[in-house]
Every structure is written in C-alpha cells, then in structure tokens.
C-alpha cells in the first residue's frame, strides 16, 4: 500500500500540469504577467462571487476585440460556449484587432458589473454603434450582472 510520502511527488506533478502558466512568446500589452498559476475561465464563471477582487491569471483563445478602441477582448473558456471579458483602461492598453483567434495569457482582477435596465439599454446601443450593427430600439432590457477581469497585463501569441 502506498504511503502518503510516496504519493507526494505524484500529487505535486498533477498540480503542476494543470495550473502552471503556459509558456508563451508574444507581444506584451500593459504589464508583463508575473503570476505562475492559471485559473480556468470555467472555474471563475462557475463561482464568480468567490473570486471577486482576486488577482488571477487566465489563458485562452481571443474570440472578440473591441473594434472602436481596443479596450476589451473576450477570451474563450475551456468549456464550450463560454467567454470571459477582459476590460482594460481606455488608451492605456490597446488590444489590436489582429489578436482575434490568437492565444492570450492575461493577468488581472475579477470584478462584478451590475447594470440597471436603462444602463443595459445604453450599453447595448453603444455596443451596436461600436460594432456597426443595428440597434433594436424596441428591444426590452433587464437589469443584469456580469463578471469580467480588469486587465493589468497580457501576452498575446504572435
């Protein structure tokens, strides 16, 4: 029967496989990420309240980038159909449109965004203008709560 002492190297190896920062070369935006352990996007989205205010490192494929100012990007989760928004200070960090489809490692702080119905409508109108899409003025909007990462720095693969 294995002892606890003999299992420690195996446990350490398993922890290192799934949680270490991916080794990635690329362009740094903002501060170079310094954290070593990644948190899965699905882990954050499954229990966002328990991650509020925490500094995290996430990795994923960039699905969308803000077309107007490059002030946000969406990265794909490790689970299908999930994404997490990375928002940065306008003009301080600018993500290029060419980043879409590339891998990224992002460090930042998990935050909660609460919108009233009126704020959700205004945000949808702004987003439609930004993405040059039609805005449905007859649409009904409800109050909403979303979670995002306030980006501090990122590495985007070449």
């Amino acid at each position: 029967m294995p002892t606890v002492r003999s299992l420690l190297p195996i446990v350490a190896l398993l922890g290192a496989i799934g949680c270490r920062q991916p080794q990635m070369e690329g362009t740094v935006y903002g501060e170079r990420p310094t954290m070593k352990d990644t948190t899965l996007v699905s882990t954050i989205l499954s229990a966002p309240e328990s991650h509020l205010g925490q500094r995290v490192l996430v990795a994923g494929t960039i699905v969308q980038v803000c077309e107007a100012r490059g002030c946000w990007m969406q990265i794909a989760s490790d689970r299908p159909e999930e994404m997490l928004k990375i928002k940065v200070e306008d003009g301080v960090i600018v993500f290029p449109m060419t980043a879409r489809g590339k891998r990224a490692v992002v460090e930042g702080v998990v935050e909660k965004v609460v919108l009233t119905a009126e704020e959700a409508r205004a945000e949808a109108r702004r987003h439609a203008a930004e993405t040059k899409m039609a805005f449905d003025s007859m649409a009904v909007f409800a109050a909403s709560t979303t979670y995002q990462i306030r980006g501090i720095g990122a590495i985007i693969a070449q």
Side-chain angles (χ1 to χ4, degrees):
M1 173 174 251
T3 65
V4 171
R5 181 180 214 129
S6 67
L7 291 175
L8 286 177
I10 295 168
V11 171
L13 177 63
L14 289 174
I17 290 171
C19 300
R20 301 307 288 175
Q21 177 178 354
Q23 296 297 317
M24 187 167 64
E25 295 296 320
T27 305
V28 176
Y29 293 86
E31 297 177 19
R32 176 176 285 282
T34 58
M35 295 181 73
K36 300 294 182 222
D37 295 331
T38 59
T39 301
L40 295 174
V41 169
S42 62
T43 300
I44 294 169
L45 295 176
S46 292
E49 290 290 325
S50 67
H51 292 87
L52 281 181
Q54 290 183 6
R55 194 167 180 149
V56 295
L57 182 72
V58 295
T61 300
I62 300 168
V63 179
Q64 292 180 311
V65 178
C66 171
E67 293 183 22
R69 296 182 298 272
C71 62
W72 58 262
M73 64 180 172
Q74 294 265 11
I75 62 168
S77 173
D78 48 291
R79 283 193 302 222
E81 308 301 319
E82 281 187 341
M83 293 185 293
L84 184 60
K85 185 176 188 177
I86 311 298
K87 176 68 176 107
V88 295
E89 190 174 342
D90 293 357
V92 175
I93 299 173
V94 179
F95 298 121
M97 290 300 300
T98 56
R100 192 177 297 154
K102 296 182 179 176
R103 295 276 304 159
V105 175
V106 181
E107 188 169 329
V109 177
V110 178
E111 62 183 17
K112 181 184 209 176
V113 179
V114 179
L115 299 176
T116 65
E118 295 79 23
E119 291 168 330
R121 174 182 276 291
E123 178 64 19
R125 182 183 300 276
R126 185 198 58 72
H127 182 72
E130 186 177 281
T131 57
K132 299 174 180 68
M133 307 251 329
F135 174 71
D136 180 1
S137 61
M138 300 304 291
V140 176
F141 292 87
S144 65
T145 299
T146 59
Y147 298 88
Q148 65 185 23
I149 292 179
R150 176 62 58 180
I152 296 166
I155 300 173
I156 297 176
Q158 296 295 339

